[in-house]
Amino acid sequence: MSTEPVLRLRDIVTEFATLSGRVRAVNGATYDVLPGRTLGVVGESGSGKSVTVMSALGLLPRTATVRGQALFRGRDLLTMKERELQRVRGRDIGLIFQDPMTALNPVMTIGAQIDETLKRHSTELSRGDRADRIVELLTDVGIPAPRERKDQYPHQFSGGMRQRAMIAMALANRPSLLIADEPTTALDVTVQAQILDLLRRLSDEHGTALVLITHDLGVIAEMADQVVVMYGGRVVESSGVDDLFHASRHPYTRGLLRSMPGTAERRTSLAAIPGAPPDPRQLPSGCAFAPRCDLAAGRDRCLVQPELTVVSTGHRSACHFQDELTQSEEVAG
């Protein structure tokens, strides 16, 4: 298997035109997605996790302006014409949306919706072949009685089954890259575990690269090989999953880890990060996390935006004081 990244995002900047002016939702995001590996993208709501990938895939409204590079197998998605981009989406890149109830068409059967993407991208398949492929896909994702279920509508499926149907649709054309945007939101713990097991199995079996967007560090610990932490539209830390949990070098990442239940030594209450995420309409000129950071108090260096620099092999951090966060200090037990 090639070690070249399936997707390279470089300096993605995304702005929206609003009545109150330009809003910068993504502010120079850069990261790679490797073949056959799972990249976890984590951060609070509004950090730019989903908007970054939607920018790359051309799925934002016309009020959005996107700059930078999104190289998929060497081709820049941001410079493609819409028709060319439509051939890539759904065939080479699969996307699992956050809310399957609103992403699925309520007046079309599940089978008809999967058939749409097969007709568009797998034109060599006959109608009978497509019908067999739909049953195969629903079987792979664990839908019981798939021949009968394919003729049912989304409202006849449970939340977990709708999410499985979304995964089946995303995998219909055997993409090399699968993007899962909060795939376990609003699912109970048992169904969440089943969905994560399914994604892991399918990625292992088909060698599919997986981007897992989530706010849940527990999901990251279970699923990811590499992790990108975003804050204020920027990547503030990127590393292997073990380094992130045991040798983090950014105060925001450490704040997220300390706020997780069960990761502190006999604490009776969670350690919350003070303050609130920055307003994208008024991003500070320096470090966006500085107003919430204990290390920044009284230090002028934080008035300058820190660059994402190498800490060690495969580990980068955007903090002026990363050396003060020593690798020997474990933050997750």
Side-chain angles (χ1 to χ4, degrees), residues 105-117:
N105 189 328
V107 299
M108 291 178 65
T109 66
I110 294 295
Q113 294 184 64
I114 299 175
D115 192 47
E116 271 196 329
T117 188

Side-chain angles (χ1 to χ4, degrees), residues 60-302:
L60 295 178
R62 294 182 180 179
T63 55
T65 302
V66 181
R67 302 194 301 274
Q69 283 188 319
L71 300 175
F72 177 71
R73 293 176 171 173
R75 301 168 62 205
D76 192 352
L77 299 173
L78 299 185
T79 62
M80 288 184 182
K81 296 184 182 299
E82 179 61 24
R83 181 168 295 182
E84 186 180 7
L85 191 55
Q86 287 176 357
R87 287 196 291 267
V88 174
R89 294 192 306 244
R91 183 188 65 187
D92 302 312
I93 302 175
L95 178 60
I96 304 169
F97 290 98
Q98 183 170 344
D99 184 358
M101 192 58 192
T102 56
L104 292 169
N105 189 328
V107 299
M108 291 178 65
T109 66
I110 294 295
Q113 294 184 64
I114 299 175
D115 192 47
E116 271 196 329
T117 188
L118 289 172
K119 282 192 292 187
R120 184 172 187 84
H121 298 294
S122 296
T123 54
E124 74 283 359
L125 296 179
S126 67
R127 182 175 181 179
D129 290 336
R130 295 199 309 270
D132 291 341
R133 176 71 176 144
I134 292 167
V135 172
E136 176 189 339
L137 285 163
L138 294 178
T139 301
D140 283 347
V141 298
I143 299 292
R147 290 192 183 276
E148 292 75 28
R149 288 287 192 175
K150 70 181 176 61
D151 296 322
Q152 294 183 342
Y153 292 86
H155 73 272
Q156 295 174 284
F157 278 39
S158 67
M161 288 176 63
R162 284 193 292 268
Q163 192 63 279
R164 290 171 186 270
M166 281 292 302
I167 294 171
M169 193 180 306
L171 292 171
N173 295 289
R174 299 184 175 92
S176 57
L177 173 62
L178 180 63
I179 299 171
D181 187 4
E182 300 277 8
T184 58
T185 296
L187 300 179
D188 65 50
V189 175
T190 302
V191 176
Q192 173 178 295
Q194 292 171 351
I195 294 297
L196 295 178
D197 286 342
L198 171 63
L199 288 173
R200 187 187 298 108
R201 176 176 63 81
L202 294 172
S203 178
D204 291 343
E205 288 178 358
H206 301 290
T208 306
L210 174 63
V211 177
L212 184 60
I213 301 169
T214 181
H215 63 276
D216 190 335
L217 282 168
V219 170
I220 292 293
E222 183 178 350
M223 294 287 294
D225 301 301
Q226 297 290 126
V227 188
V228 163
V229 181
M230 294 192 67
Y231 185 83
R234 286 183 176 270
V235 175
V236 296
E237 187 163 17
S238 64
S239 73
V241 67
D242 289 339
D243 273 356
L244 186 90
F245 278 86
H246 300 293
S248 169
R249 299 290 285 274
H250 195 282
Y252 175 61
T253 309
R254 294 202 166 202
L256 291 178
L257 291 168
R258 291 191 177 106
S259 68
M260 288 178 63
T263 59
E265 304 82 5
R266 298 185 178 87
R267 277 204 303 260
T268 57
S269 61
L270 298 179
I273 302 174
D279 185 339
R281 296 170 298 181
Q282 298 176 326
L283 289 172
S285 58
C287 176
F289 187 61
R292 307 174 72 185
C293 179
D294 292 338
L295 292 177
R299 295 185 172 185
D300 292 339
R301 287 183 68 185
C302 296

Side-chain angles (χ1 to χ4, degrees), residues 12-17 22-26 51 55 60-68 78:
I12 300 294
V13 175
T14 305
E15 295 180 328
F16 293 92
R22 305 291 296 181
V23 173
R24 181 166 291 191
V26 182
V51 176
S55 301
L60 295 178
R62 294 182 180 179
T63 55
T65 302
V66 181
R67 302 194 301 274
L78 299 185

